Amino acid sequence: MYDKVAAVRLGQQFKKVYDKKLVSVQETYQLTRVDLDILIFLNNHNNMDRAKDIVKCRMIAKSAVSKAIDELIQRGYITSHMDDHDRRTTHLTVTEKAKDVVLATERVQEEICQVLYHGITKEEREMLNRIATKISDNIEKEL
């Protein structure tokens, strides 16, 4: 029973730390957490550049993604363009204006990694990554 509770608690603790560390970026750029998630996702996943991809991979409500995308386009952080072969598909691209936001968010992520991995060897990190990948695959099969 402890393992189940510990795993859930670990996830909750990570989310709290991540949310707390991102507040400064949110305040600096007047962006929401969903806005930051979308910008980072698009920046890191060039081949997954549709709202549908964000909803599926980040597990954010379609309505929240749609609202955030409209806002990010209006503020000049992303652009949208129709697919050349399928007019029903819209692709999203991070603009140059968003690069500072992305860099600030990446710095926060790096800072969090430093905290999380303090005192953990390279071998332990590699093992953790292998186990986390297996767990993620198991969860994905259930979704």
Side-chain angles (χ1 to χ4, degrees), residues 49-65:
D49 61 353
R50 303 169 302 164
K52 178 179 178 177
D53 298 322
I54 297 165
V55 168
K56 182 180 180 199
C57 293
R58 296 294 299 138
M59 293 189 274
I60 303 170
K62 189 189 295 188
S63 59
V65 169

Side-chain angles (χ1 to χ4, degrees), residues 13-121:
Q13 287 174 318
F14 174 79
K15 185 180 179 332
K16 273 186 145 176
V17 169
Y18 192 61
D19 289 346
K20 180 180 173 184
K21 297 277 187 185
L22 279 180
V23 167
S24 64
V25 178
Q26 289 175 260
E27 288 175 350
T28 300
Y29 295 98
Q30 294 297 298
L31 294 168
T32 68
R33 171 66 189 275
V34 173
D35 296 337
L36 294 179
D37 284 350
I38 290 171
L39 290 173
I40 290 298
F41 181 85
L42 291 172
N43 190 69
N44 293 339
H45 300 91
N46 295 331
N47 60 334
M48 297 184 355
D49 61 353
R50 303 169 302 164
K52 178 179 178 177
D53 298 322
I54 297 165
V55 168
K56 182 180 180 199
C57 293
R58 296 294 299 138
M59 293 189 274
I60 303 170
K62 189 189 295 188
S63 59
V65 169
S66 178
K67 180 181 176 187
I69 286 171
D70 289 344
E71 194 63 30
L72 289 167
I73 289 170
Q74 186 177 24
R75 294 184 59 189
Y77 288 116
I78 61 175
T79 58
S80 66
H81 60 279
M82 224 179 288
D83 188 280
D84 295 335
H85 304 290
D86 185 353
R87 294 180 358 165
R88 296 170 299 173
T89 301
T90 302
H91 297 279
L92 305 167
T93 307
V94 176
T95 65
E96 200 57 41
K97 180 178 180 181
K99 294 301 179 186
D100 288 342
V101 177
V102 170
L103 286 173
T105 305
E106 287 174 342
R107 279 193 296 271
V108 167
Q109 290 173 336
E110 183 58 38
E111 183 182 321
I112 291 169
C113 283
Q114 294 295 324
V115 170
L116 293 178
Y117 290 130
H118 178 75
I120 298 175
T121 67

